[in-house]
Amino acid sequence: MFGCLVAGRLVQAAPQQVAEDKFVFDLPDYENINHVVVFMLGTVPFPEGMGGSVYFCYPDQSGMAVWQLLGFVTNEKPSAIFKISGLKSGKGSQHPFGAMNLPQTPTVAQIGISVELLENLAQQTPVANAAVSSVDSFTEFTQKMLDNFYNFASSFAVTQAQMTPNPSEAFIPANVVLKWYENFQRRLTQNPFFWKT
């Protein structure tokens, strides 16, 4: 039903079922993992009204399991990428794997998937650092960068009457900067990745 992928490693498509509604993948040498992808294989969908909470578990310095909620997968959102590199020193959160006493090895972490009601998934709050940046945050950054550049350049605008001739300086008319700004915004709105071509 589920798969797990770490860059540079083979896909894991056979999680260990630790309860009727709970599954875990082992992640050996987890300290060298930055991102993990959890996905549905497409062979068995979740039952109607159900989804899967995805947790990251690592052993703390005393060997105790620390579980952190990463997010979820559902029939409508069958895969997700999570950043786990910054989570290895954070606090644990409430989780459904507590009474299971899953074996912990110092260099092995786990990804846990708990099948739950969609209403319960909507009420859970994943750890903040697990989300991988999306196009929306990139677009937001680019928009703020454009605004900052335009405001900065405009703050130096002078009229022709205020200009002092200086042969060693080049001047760019403010309307040229404004035209570039508007064109860049339009292109970014149409295709956030236009700059890659």
Side-chain angles (χ1 to χ4, degrees):
M1 184 171 185
F2 304 110
C4 179
L5 176 64
V6 173
R9 300 185 185 185
L10 293 173
V11 172
Q12 294 185 51
Q16 176 186 355
Q17 188 168 2
V18 294
E20 182 180 338
D21 57 351
K22 294 178 183 40
F23 305 84
V24 294
F25 292 99
D26 286 338
L27 299 177
D29 193 26
Y30 75 94
E31 291 173 336
N32 293 316
I33 298 173
N34 291 321
H35 297 83
V36 63
V37 179
V38 176
F39 56 95
M40 295 177 62
L41 297 175
T43 54
V44 179
F46 282 110
E48 189 68 31
M50 303 295 278
S53 292
V54 179
Y55 292 85
F56 173 60
C57 174
Y58 65 94
D60 66 10
Q61 284 144 346
S62 64
M64 298 299 294
V66 177
W67 290 88
Q68 294 177 319
L69 177 65
L70 299 177
F72 61 89
V73 291
T74 65
N75 291 335
E76 291 73 34
K77 182 184 171 250
S79 64
I81 302 171
F82 302 107
K83 181 178 179 183
I84 62 170
S85 58
L87 304 179
K88 297 161 192 161
S89 60
K91 288 183 159 183
S93 60
Q94 189 174 4
H95 61 87
F97 294 91
M100 303 209 154
N101 288 330
L102 298 172
Q104 289 296 308
T105 308
T107 60
V108 178
Q110 293 174 317
I111 292 293
I113 302 170
S114 175
V115 179
E116 302 175 21
L117 292 170
L118 290 176
E119 299 110 48
N120 295 347
L121 295 181
Q123 295 172 14
Q124 298 174 355
T125 306
V127 65
N129 300 351
V132 173
S133 58
S134 66
V135 170
D136 293 334
S137 65
F138 171 76
T139 303
E140 182 181 355
F141 165 75
T142 306
Q143 183 65 46
K144 292 202 184 292
M145 183 183 67
L146 284 171
D147 291 343
N148 183 278
F149 170 73
Y150 179 73
N151 291 336
F152 178 77
S154 297
S155 71
F156 294 98
V158 293
T159 64
Q160 281 189 333
Q162 296 170 317
M163 287 178 146
T164 308
N166 185 345
S168 64
E169 287 185 2
F171 290 93
I172 301 171
N175 67 337
V176 170
V177 174
L178 179 60
K179 185 175 181 178
W180 169 83
Y181 172 78
E182 290 170 346
N183 284 339
F184 199 95
Q185 276 188 314
R186 178 183 47 78
R187 292 180 73 192
L188 187 64
T189 303
Q190 292 171 347
N191 177 8
F193 299 109
F194 81 92
W195 52 272
K196 287 187 173 186
T197 57

